[in-house]
Amino acid sequence: MKLTGTPFFVLALLLVPLSVGLLMYLWNRVRGPQALRFGSRLLMVAFAQATAVTLVFVVVNNDNQLYGSWDDLLGTGNHVRAVPVPPPADATAAANAPDQPKVVQQFGPVDDDAVPKDVKTTQLKGRVSGVDGEVLVWTPPQYDDPAYKDKKFPVVELLAGFPGSSSAWFGSMNVSKQLAPLMKSGQIAPFILVSPRVVLLGSHVDTGCADVPGKVNAETWLARDVPQMVLDNFRAEPGPEHWGVAGYSAGAHCAARLALGHPNRYHAGVSLSGYNDPAGEPASLTAKDAHLREISNPVYLLQHAQTPPNVALYATGKKGDGFEDAQALQKNAKAPTVITPVEVNGPHLTSTWQPLVPSVFTWLTQTIGKTG
């Protein structure tokens, strides 16, 4: 049975009154020595408590889509097929190389009740990264309109936090449901939205969206393999001036460092309650190594860039949860890099970030949404 969706939720819901009913019915019917009766009653209480805790977990997980599968929950999933040394070619050169065969994918429906039916998914084998994982794609209302048949569209990659499911932006964040009417009315540019898997290693390890030798090529997966697939399968604008990357929490950290580290692919980044120091996520792989921790910090990228990246960042957070990090980025930015810190209030939850979607995409429309 799937971890997410209605069937498991209904089962968890039914088990609570069933366990309490059994506890009340059997409490005085237990026979045997005193020790056996005590042990049996203790097990019944533990079972009732376990069903209640399970129900709470299922509700929270379905609302926030922290874990998309049993493998993610148990830490047994591993989406790293190999860890080759990525070639030095940048994403733009790779996308335009005439000798590269296209990455043609088959797309189907998403097996998640929380995700709208117009979102498609594919299983991508990363050609450069050695990473295998699902990628969810949503095309705007104009995409299939005959009037736009020759039109190419800007793209935004959406990164979940850690733990986080590739479905979260379309489920708990309701990004496509919020944006579709705004795109139809012309208030928001018609973006292609792409949500790749970000949880790639088992044992509950966060990759930090980095290339870690011998461990994982998460950065190459997100900044090269996924964009290449989008360019090969959709009418997507190829230039970085029409590409953005957005994330929340750990995904916000990733969005900032990917945008600043790959100005050849992204011109815009959105960080919702992000952090600069990888140690902001205790499970981060990059935080375990002093050198990786240093070079994975977006502030370091700004300070050591040979040329200030032509990138705009929209960074939100509340005091004590991302706002000071946004200000640090602004302090270290030099033209043409532009950092826009935005102070918000609310807990570190999707309930805080979901209402920000319209304003975020209004900014993205102004930054990368204008096409020919």
Side-chain angles (χ1 to χ4, degrees):
M1 184 177 291
K2 286 176 64 248
L3 176 62
T4 58
T6 303
F8 188 57
F9 169 71
V10 171
L11 176 62
L13 186 64
L14 292 176
L15 282 176
V16 174
L18 178 62
S19 64
V20 173
L22 286 173
L23 173 66
M24 296 176 65
Y25 178 77
L26 296 175
W27 187 265
N28 291 321
R29 289 176 170 78
V30 177
R31 298 291 181 262
Q34 183 177 2
L36 178 61
R37 295 198 307 273
F38 176 81
S40 299
R41 288 168 177 162
L42 185 62
L43 285 174
M44 289 189 289
V45 171
F47 178 63
Q49 290 180 329
T51 60
V53 170
T54 299
L55 177 60
V56 172
F57 163 77
V58 171
V59 170
V60 171
N61 190 56
N62 285 352
D63 283 347
N64 295 278
Q65 294 176 296
L66 303 173
Y67 301 98
S69 69
W70 289 103
D71 281 340
D72 288 342
L73 174 63
L74 300 175
T76 55
N78 190 328
H79 295 264
V80 178
R81 180 180 72 258
V83 193
V85 177
D90 62 46
T92 302
N96 295 326
D99 59 337
Q100 288 292 319
K102 289 189 177 296
V103 182
V104 180
Q105 294 290 123
Q106 298 297 316
F107 290 81
V110 180
D111 188 17
D112 189 328
D113 295 340
V115 176
K117 301 302 182 185
D118 56 354
V119 179
K120 298 171 286 190
T121 186
T122 189
Q123 291 293 324
L124 176 63
K125 287 185 173 293
R127 178 186 293 168
V128 184
S129 66
V131 169
D132 299 339
E134 76 277 4
V135 182
L136 277 59
V137 180
W138 180 82
T139 53
Q142 292 89 337
Y143 192 87
D144 295 318
D145 185 334
Y148 291 79
K149 63 183 179 64
D150 298 320
K151 168 79 173 177
K152 291 185 177 181
F153 295 83
V155 181
V156 179
E157 275 188 67
L158 304 170
L159 308 180
F162 182 85
S165 164
S166 54
S167 298
W169 270 92
F170 295 105
S172 55
M173 291 286 283
N174 282 319
V175 64
S176 58
K177 287 183 178 178
Q178 292 192 70
L179 294 182
L182 298 175
M183 290 180 182
K184 288 179 181 178
S185 66
Q187 298 176 67
I188 299 292
F191 291 100
I192 296 173
L193 305 181
V194 182
S195 181
R197 167 173 278 275
V198 293
V199 179
L200 304 177
L201 297 172
S203 302
H204 302 292
V205 175
D206 172 34
T207 66
C209 299
D211 285 355
V212 182
K215 298 285 187 179
V216 62
N217 287 326
E219 185 169 350
T220 298
W221 159 253
L222 294 169
R224 294 176 64 175
D225 281 332
V226 172
Q228 184 66 58
M229 183 277 291
V230 174
L231 289 165
D232 286 347
N233 290 269
F234 297 91
R235 299 197 311 277
E237 289 279 6
E241 65 273 16
H242 302 302
W243 278 69
V245 56
Y248 57 81
S249 190
H253 167 74
C254 291
R257 64 182 303 275
L258 287 177
L260 295 173
H262 297 270
N264 58 323
R265 168 46 56 213
Y266 311 102
H267 176 59
V270 174
S271 169
L272 305 178
S273 301
Y275 48 84
N276 295 327
D277 185 345
E281 170 48 62
S284 174
L285 187 61
T286 55
K288 310 300 182 188
D289 179 275
H291 177 65
L292 278 176
R293 179 177 177 180
E294 179 184 27
I295 65 174
S296 296
N297 191 317
V299 171
Y300 178 93
L301 297 178
L302 286 172
Q303 293 173 339
H304 292 80
Q306 291 185 350
T307 303
N310 185 17
V311 169
L313 284 182
Y314 184 93
T316 79
K318 73 174 183 178
K319 291 180 179 176
D321 184 19
F323 186 62
E324 291 84 357
D325 295 79
Q327 291 178 312
L329 291 173
Q330 185 183 47
K331 180 180 178 180
N332 285 276
K334 299 177 182 178
T337 309
V338 177
I339 313 293
T340 304
V342 179
E343 186 175 358
V344 298
N345 292 307
H348 197 81
L349 295 170
T350 53
S351 59
T352 296
W353 307 314
Q354 185 195 85
L356 300 177
V357 166
S359 58
V360 162
F361 275 83
T362 297
W363 179 84
L364 285 168
T365 295
Q366 298 165 350
T367 308
I368 59 170
K370 299 174 182 177
T371 61

